[in-house]
Amino acid sequence: MTTVDTNASAPDGPDDSARNSLVIGLLLVSAFTVILNETIMSVALPRLMSDLGVTASAAQWLTTAFLLTMAVVIPITGFLLQRFHTRPVFLAAMGFFSLGTLICALAPGLPMLIGGRVVQAVGTAMMMPLLMTTVMTLVPPAKRGQTMGNISIVISVAPAIGPTISGIILNYLHWRWMFWIVLPIGLAALLLGALKLVNVTEPRRPKLDLLSVPLSAIGFGGLVYGLSSIGESLAPTHEALVPLWVPLVVGGVVLALFIWRQIVLAPQDRALLDLRTFKIRVFSVSVAMMCLAMMALFGMIILLPLYMQNVLGLSALSSGLLLLPGGLVMGLMAPIVGRLFDRIGARKLVIPGAVLVSGALWTMQSYGMDTPILVVLGGHVVLSIGLALLFTPLFTSSLGSLPPKLYSYGSAVLGTAQQVSGAAGIALFVSIMTIRTGNALASGVDALPATAEGLHAGFLAAAIISLGLIVAGFFVRRPPDMGGPPAHHGGH
């Protein structure tokens, strides 16, 4: 049997349960591998800046380009999941990822390295909506919190331990080994999927709106490129190809056109990204909080290693190991938070989580040249606990509030929002850091205190943004169980 039309509310037989477990398990392991590569470069940035002779603003494109590509490709994946079976989408995802990893391992310089990261990101972008849509299709509502806890391990812990893994590799090996070590894992997942994965969804025949694809790419790309260029534009040797405001304005206008076109096409079932998901308040609030949380997560994944290496003088290995406890805490908490969500709902988890995230970021903005390492470690662990309390409830509430026909679009919207906000967070915080550092150097401050001032400004921006998390937390609800009584809607 190669095609199964599975309904989430239908009871599974023994064979179906075993098949579902195999499918979800393979997707989780594969997704963990590809998501790990979102942040594996962060600790390596100082080494790459030195080896390749590039600035921080240029090197951060290794992560920003990855996130931005995901933001462009994920909306198309929503269409692909409607149009094709599970198995070919999985094989394409792991194929792109493995090819991109090989390109990175062989890259002679920064342009080809960024190109390889873009190819990797195409595969990663296809994997995440595939994982979330499959879980929403196969797992009954009462068990979704626990299963989404496992997804939270993938989406939050893999990026969190990426810097640790890269730090260990960089201490003993050349930076290319970050890719040579991952490549066989990607190829093994590709082979296992080809041999074992079965189809668990029934495709439809939606029409692809070709105009929406470039509108999406130019809109999201212009905004993130504009943000990323702010810091670099202030460097003394910088020669801008276009004025700074051009990509920001063009990106904003084209994104508005993209949104308008999706709204017009949605009633005809022709939208690339069906934005009717935002008519459901639980979904809208959860996505807004997820964006703020991802900005905080990815901003810190970039800023903390720069602070530990460039201000405190730690090695790449030490920086990576200091970030490991937070990543492990997030991983250990995710299944527990998922079970708690199934029992007590979202709000009692996300409000404390938001307070912890904000408190940790406000502490980080006080870090200086003589901050004890234990304080840095403690701040990251508290941040990780707060994020663990946020991710699982937000994933489950957002997608669980949607009718089944919108699962693939909801997964794509959520994934797109995550990646754009992550890329914007990195671009914004690095830009603020670069501006503040440049101003301090221009006023005669020595390099080390100037770098510390720049990082302080980046942490402060993240702390201010985090206040929005606390406000939004009071508006989160657990969605009603599919087919359950409406009374549950606002009860948690």
Side-chain angles (χ1 to χ4, degrees):
M1 180 171 63
T2 56
T3 303
V4 183
D5 188 7
T6 308
N7 186 289
S9 60
D12 290 330
D15 292 341
D16 285 342
S17 295
R19 180 208 67 204
N20 293 352
S21 297
L22 174 65
V23 169
I24 293 173
L26 180 58
L27 290 177
L28 280 169
V29 171
S30 301
F32 188 90
T33 304
V34 300
I35 292 289
L36 185 69
N37 280 268
E38 283 197 49
T39 58
I40 201 168
M41 300 302 294
S42 63
V43 169
L45 289 184
R47 175 82 63 86
L48 287 163
M49 287 162 59
S50 173
D51 284 2
L52 302 177
V54 296
T55 64
S57 295
Q60 59 102 9
W61 272 98
L62 288 165
T63 300
T64 301
F66 191 100
L67 297 175
L68 181 57
T69 303
M70 289 184 66
V72 172
V73 176
I74 285 174
I76 303 169
T77 307
F79 164 81
L80 293 175
L81 292 174
Q82 295 277 330
R83 181 69 176 76
F84 297 103
H85 286 297
T86 311
R87 189 169 177 272
V89 176
F90 174 84
L91 295 179
M94 293 311 297
F96 274 115
F97 176 78
S98 300
L99 175 62
T101 304
L102 179 62
I103 293 171
C104 288
L106 297 172
L110 186 65
M112 187 170 168
L113 191 57
I114 292 175
R117 294 283 286 165
V118 167
V119 178
Q120 274 189 326
V122 171
T124 306
M126 298 170 72
M127 182 61 67
M128 292 319 302
L130 175 62
L131 171 61
M132 288 192 279
T133 302
T134 302
V135 166
M136 293 302 294
T137 303
L138 298 182
V139 179
K143 296 181 180 178
R144 279 186 191 152
Q146 189 171 347
T147 308
M148 284 291 179
N150 294 331
I151 292 183
S152 293
I153 296 176
V154 168
I155 293 176
S156 59
V157 177
I161 67 170
T164 304
I165 292 173
S166 61
I168 293 170
I169 292 171
L170 288 170
N171 193 60
Y172 300 105
L173 301 166
H174 193 272
W175 58 262
R176 295 183 191 280
W177 281 96
M178 291 189 295
F179 303 105
W180 287 123
I181 289 172
V182 168
L183 182 59
I185 301 173
L187 291 173
L190 180 63
L191 178 62
L192 191 59
L195 295 174
K196 297 289 188 181
L197 194 66
V198 296
N199 295 310
V200 294
T201 55
E202 189 63 51
R204 298 191 300 111
R205 293 286 184 269
K207 295 180 180 178
L208 176 63
D209 178 53
L210 293 176
L211 181 58
S212 293
V213 177
L215 287 177
S216 168
I218 295 168
F220 292 127
L223 288 176
V224 177
Y225 177 76
L227 281 169
S228 300
S229 300
I230 293 172
E232 210 171 353
S233 68
L234 298 180
T237 57
H238 179 73
E239 295 182 9
L241 296 175
V242 294
L244 181 62
W245 60 268
V246 172
L248 291 170
V249 171
V250 170
V253 170
V254 173
L255 192 57
L257 287 173
F258 171 77
I259 292 170
W260 172 78
R261 187 163 182 83
Q262 304 319 295
I263 292 170
V264 170
L265 293 177
Q268 308 166 36
D269 283 329
R270 291 178 54 217
L272 180 68
L273 203 60
D274 195 330
L275 301 180
R276 286 178 292 184
T277 52
F278 285 106
K279 290 184 177 180
I280 299 167
R281 196 182 76 158
V282 175
F283 182 84
S284 299
V285 173
S286 298
V287 169
M289 284 196 74
M290 183 63 72
C291 288
L292 294 173
M294 292 301 283
M295 287 185 77
L297 174 63
F298 282 96
M300 291 313 97
I301 284 170
I302 290 291
L303 292 184
L304 273 176
L306 287 173
Y307 167 72
M308 289 188 284
Q309 291 177 63
N310 295 346
V311 176
L312 297 184
L314 300 179
S315 67
L317 176 61
S318 299
S319 301
L321 291 175
L322 267 176
L323 296 174
L324 181 59
L328 293 177
V329 165
M330 219 186 295
L332 292 171
M333 285 186 63
I336 299 168
V337 173
R339 287 193 290 270
L340 283 172
F341 173 86
D342 288 334
R343 289 173 49 202
I344 66 175
R347 197 195 291 183
K348 293 177 182 177
L349 296 170
V350 298
I351 293 175
V355 170
L356 288 175
V357 167
S358 187
L361 292 174
W362 280 104
T363 302
M364 288 176 184
Q365 65 86 33
S366 69
Y367 289 176
M369 292 186 292
D370 54 357
T371 301
I373 288 176
L374 285 178
V375 173
V376 178
L377 174 64
H380 185 247
V381 169
V382 172
L383 178 72
S384 300
I385 292 170
L387 290 171
L389 290 171
L390 289 173
F391 281 127
T392 300
L394 293 177
F395 280 126
T396 317
S397 294
S398 58
L399 295 177
S401 66
L402 302 176
K405 68 177 182 179
L406 290 179
Y407 284 163
S408 63
Y409 291 115
S411 298
V413 168
L414 183 62
T416 303
Q418 280 176 252
Q419 302 312 322
V420 170
S421 56
I426 291 169
L428 177 65
F429 301 144
V430 170
S431 296
I432 290 172
M433 178 195 75
T434 305
I435 292 169
R436 182 66 176 269
T437 302
N439 290 342
L441 288 170
S443 65
V445 177
D446 290 339
L448 188 60
T451 303
E453 279 190 37
L455 284 158
H456 163 77
F459 286 129
L460 179 60
I464 293 170
I465 289 172
S466 72
L467 296 175
L469 274 173
I470 299 174
V471 175
F474 287 92
F475 295 93
V476 172
R477 301 285 189 277
R478 180 167 67 179
D481 292 340
M482 294 300 173
H488 288 182
H489 197 282
H492 295 279

